[in-house]
Amino acid sequence: QVQLVESGGGLVQPGGSLRLSCTASGLALSFSRYTMSWYRQAPGKKRELAAGITSAGITDYADSVKGRFTISRDNAKNAVFLQMNSLNTEDTAVYSCNARRENSALTYWGQGTQVTVSS
């Protein structure tokens, strides 16, 4: 059974930082063959891609987080990370980890972790 387990969410003041982690287990293929992404959904809004990283290490970011968020992966640990700096209230959302097998429609989701930016 595939599991994506997120951690690192919480309450932070505007201007602060958080680091999210997602660890995968049970994948049929090597973790390195998956594009890993972080999506987020704010209250009353659609889910959106925050950041993604391919097996080749190519990254993609939402315009709203460019220059503030950094996605990285550690294939040896089956983990992906999201370093979030200069957080503002508009970053408040549930952040979910996604694994998509490359060249396939097969995708998996984590349960999500709440990030709240508030003074």
Side-chain angles (χ1 to χ4, degrees):
Q1 182 178 357
V2 175
Q3 283 192 310
L4 301 178
V5 180
E6 301 103 332
S7 62
L11 173 64
V12 63
Q13 292 186 340
S17 298
L18 282 175
R19 186 176 189 245
L20 304 183
S21 300
C22 170
T23 302
S25 61
L27 294 172
L29 299 178
S30 170
F31 177 81
S32 64
R33 296 179 66 175
Y34 290 79
T35 288
M36 300 301 297
S37 302
W38 287 96
Y39 284 77
R40 66 183 186 179
Q41 187 167 21
K45 294 189 177 181
K46 292 182 180 179
R47 184 167 58 192
E48 65 171 358
L49 175 70
I53 184 167
T54 69
S55 61
I58 298 170
T59 58
D60 185 31
Y61 296 94
D63 287 342
S64 59
V65 309
K66 283 179 181 175
R68 300 188 298 121
F69 290 11
T70 302
I71 189 170
S72 61
R73 66 190 297 160
D74 185 338
N75 291 334
K77 296 182 178 179
N78 285 8
V80 62
F81 309 99
L82 186 67
Q83 178 66 43
M84 305 186 294
N85 299 328
S86 302
L87 286 162
N88 58 60
T89 56
E90 294 186 351
D91 296 316
T92 295
V94 175
Y95 285 72
S96 298
C97 180
N98 173 275
R100 182 180 59 80
R101 186 190 298 184
E102 294 185 355
N103 301 312
S104 167
L106 196 60
T107 187
Y108 303 99
W109 291 93
Q111 295 274 38
T113 186
Q114 177 70 46
V115 171
T116 301
V117 184
S118 175
S119 56

